[in-house]
Amino acid sequence: MKAAVILGTRPEIIKMSPVIRELERENMDFFILHTGQHYSYSMDRVFFEQLGLPEPKHNLEVGSGTHGEQTGRMLIGIEKVLMEEKPDVALVEGDTNTVLAGALASVKIGIPVGHVEAGLRSFDRSMPEEVNRVLTDHVSDYLFAPTEKARSNLLKEGISDEKIFVTGNTIVDAVRQNIKLAEEGSNVLETIGVDDGEYFLVTVHRQENVDNKQRFRNILEGLRLIHEHFNLPVVYPVHPRARKRMNEYGLSGDSLTMVEPLDYLSFLGLESRARLILTDSGGVQEEACILRVPCVTLRHNTERPETVDVGANIIAGTEPENILEKTRLMVEKRRDWENPFGDGRAAERIVSIISFLEGK
Ligand code: UD1
Ligand code: UDP
C-alpha cells in the first residue's frame, strides 16, 4: 500500500505531522507532495525542520494567487505527480485550497481520498474554507471526523455512515507530542519580553477579517481596548496576509507587541502560558481548548462549536466593545473543561484504518 500525503500550508504541516510520524513508525510506503501554497520560511520549512519531518518528495511551488489561479495550478501539478507515483490512497487535511485541489485531482483519476478533519461546518458559504470542506468531504472515500458532531454534519448531507470514522483530531496528537519541549525548551517569553500568564496572545489572518479594511481596523481597535483595560501586553505574531493588508491599509497596531510568525514550539509555549487567546484561526481555537486557556473567537461563527459547548471559547464578532466585553467575561473562566477533540491517538487510528481497508 502506497500513500500520498498532500499538504501545502502551515496548519496542514502541523496537523499532518502525527500522521506522517505514524506512517514512518509503521514502515508504510508513502511520500509527501507539497503544493507550495505556503513558501516563506516561517510558514513552511521551519515546521519540517522543527518537527523532524521527511522532505517532501515533490514540491509544486504554486505560490500565491487568486483562488482560481492557485487551485488550478495545483490541480495540474498534483495530477501529474499522482499519475507518475500511482499511490493507492491520497491523504489531505483540513480546508485550504491545497485540500480541495488534492482531493479533486485524486478522485478524478480514481485514487481514493482520505480526508483528515472531515465534517467541520461553519454553515457560511462566503468563507473559502467552507466551500473547500464541503466539496472535499463529498468526493472523499474515507472521512476522518474529529468528533461525533462532525460525523452528524456529514450524515445530514447524505454521506454514507460506512465512510465515516470518528478518530479525534490530530491536533491533540500534535500538542501532546510537542508540549513538553515547548514549555521546557523554549525561551520565547523572555525573547518577546513577557511574563508567565501576564499577556494576551492574538492571531488574526482570515480573509474575511483582514481583507476588509473596516473589519480589520475594528479588530485592532478591540485589541487596543484590551491592552488599555488590562494594562498587559497583547502579543500578535502577524501572518503574512495580515502584514500585507496592514501595510496596504496603513493600519498600525501601535498598542500591540507585533512579532513575525513563530515556529511551532515557541507558539505552543506562548499559547500555554497566555492569560487568554484571541483568534480567528481554526487550529488556534482547538489548541487553546486543549491547553485549557480561555479563547475569544474574532469571527461571527465557528466550525469548532465543541469548544464553545465545553465553555472554552466564545464568539465575539469583530466590534471593538464586544471584543473587550467578551474578553472580560472569558478571562474569569474556570479552566476545568474537558477536551472534546479526542485522546491524542487520532493518527494511529487513521493509519490503521487506511492500511486495513487499502491493504498494507
Ligand atoms: C490559507 C488558507 C486558510 C488557512 C491559512 C493558514 C485557503 C483558501 N486559505 O490562507 O484557510 O487558514 O492558509 O495559515 O487556502 N504569503 C506569504 N508567504 C507564504 C504564504 C502566503 O507571504 O508563505 C502571503 C501572500 O501575500 C499571499 C497571502 O499571504 O497572497 C495569502 O496566502 P494564501 O495561501 O492565499 O492564503 P492564506 O491567507 O495563507
Ligand atoms: N502557529 C504557529 N505559529 C504562529 C501562529 C500559529 O506555529 O505564529 C500554528 C498554531 O499553533 C496552529 C496552526 O499554526 O497549530 C494554525 O494555523 P493557522 O492559524 O495559520 O491556520 P488555520 O488553523 O486557521 O487554518
Side-chain angles (χ1 to χ4, degrees), residues 46-73:
V46 66
F47 302 107
F48 280 89
E49 289 172 9
Q50 190 169 59
L51 300 172
L53 301 175
E55 283 297 308
K57 185 167 177 194
H58 306 271
N59 191 323
L60 304 176
E61 297 180 356
V62 300
S64 310
T66 65
H67 285 277
E69 282 165 0
Q70 194 182 51
T71 313
R73 283 200 294 269

Side-chain angles (χ1 to χ4, degrees), residues 123-141:
F123 304 102
D124 174 2
R125 292 274 173 108
S126 71
M127 292 176 67
E129 292 85 0
E130 182 76 353
V131 176
N132 292 341
R133 284 180 204 119
V134 172
L135 295 176
T136 302
D137 283 337
H138 282 263
V139 296
S140 292
D141 299 85

Side-chain angles (χ1 to χ4, degrees), residues 8-12 36-44 63-67 70-71 74 94-100 127-130 132-133 205-208 210-211 239-245 280-283:
T9 69
R10 170 169 74 185
E12 294 157 61
Q37 177 171 350
H38 283 176
Y39 45 86
S40 300
Y41 177 80
S42 63
M43 298 298 289
D44 172 25
S64 310
T66 65
H67 285 277
Q70 194 182 51
T71 313
M74 288 178 194
D95 54 22
T96 66
N97 288 345
T98 291
V99 174
L100 175 61
M127 292 176 67
E129 292 85 0
E130 182 76 353
N132 292 341
R133 284 180 204 119
H205 76 278
R206 234 159 245 293
Q207 180 180 304
E208 68 268 22
V210 305
D211 285 13
H239 187 286
R241 178 191 282 273
R243 175 74 72 188
K244 190 167 86 176
R245 295 303 181 209
D280 62 4
S281 157

Side-chain angles (χ1 to χ4, degrees), residues 35 134 175 180:
T35 60
V134 172
V175 169
K180 209 159 173 252

Side-chain angles (χ1 to χ4, degrees), residues 1-2 88-89 112 141-142 353-360:
M1 207 276 293
K2 178 170 165 182
D88 299 292
V89 62
D141 299 85
Y142 307 115
I353 290 164
I354 56 162
S355 54
F356 177 73
L357 293 172
E358 286 294 322
K360 194 162 178 182

Side-chain angles (χ1 to χ4, degrees), residues 5-204:
V5 175
I6 304 176
L7 46 71
T9 69
R10 170 169 74 185
E12 294 157 61
I13 303 166
I14 292 170
K15 286 180 166 175
M16 271 300 199
S17 66
V19 175
I20 295 168
R21 284 179 173 159
E22 185 63 19
L23 289 166
E24 283 183 317
R25 211 174 64 84
E26 288 291 316
N27 275 321
M28 310 261 291
D29 186 10
F30 76 98
F31 65 93
I32 299 175
L33 164 49
H34 195 315
T35 60
Q37 177 171 350
H38 283 176
Y39 45 86
S40 300
Y41 177 80
S42 63
M43 298 298 289
D44 172 25
R45 277 229 60 79
V46 66
F47 302 107
F48 280 89
E49 289 172 9
Q50 190 169 59
L51 300 172
L53 301 175
E55 283 297 308
K57 185 167 177 194
H58 306 271
N59 191 323
L60 304 176
E61 297 180 356
V62 300
S64 310
T66 65
H67 285 277
E69 282 165 0
Q70 194 182 51
T71 313
R73 283 200 294 269
M74 288 178 194
L75 274 173
I76 296 169
I78 295 170
E79 183 179 68
K80 260 195 200 123
V81 172
L82 294 180
M83 284 168 78
E84 187 187 304
E85 292 275 0
K86 301 188 173 40
D88 299 292
V89 62
L91 295 175
V92 294
E93 191 288 329
D95 54 22
T96 66
N97 288 345
T98 291
V99 174
L100 175 61
L104 205 50
S106 306
V107 72
K108 288 264 188 168
I109 53 172
I111 296 169
V113 178
H115 186 200
V116 179
E117 207 179 50
L120 275 61
R121 294 292 181 270
S122 67
F123 304 102
D124 174 2
R125 292 274 173 108
S126 71
M127 292 176 67
E129 292 85 0
E130 182 76 353
V131 176
N132 292 341
R133 284 180 204 119
V134 172
L135 295 176
T136 302
D137 283 337
H138 282 263
V139 296
S140 292
D141 299 85
Y142 307 115
L143 294 111
F144 300 114
T147 63
E148 284 297 336
K149 194 163 218 141
R151 170 200 222 128
S152 88
N153 288 337
L154 295 167
L155 291 173
K156 279 184 207 147
E157 290 176 16
I159 291 175
S160 154
D161 202 15
E162 284 150 39
K163 295 183 182 175
I164 308 170
F165 305 89
V166 178
T167 57
N169 196 310
T170 60
I171 196 68
V172 181
D173 312 27
V175 169
R176 298 233 172 124
Q177 286 168 14
N178 296 293
I179 189 67
K180 209 159 173 252
L181 275 176
E183 287 183 341
E184 289 167 6
S186 159
N187 55 1
V188 62
L189 268 64
E190 297 91 89
T191 311
I192 295 180
V194 290
D195 295 324
D196 195 340
E198 299 296 313
Y199 61 92
F200 292 90
L201 177 64
V202 182
T203 78
V204 186

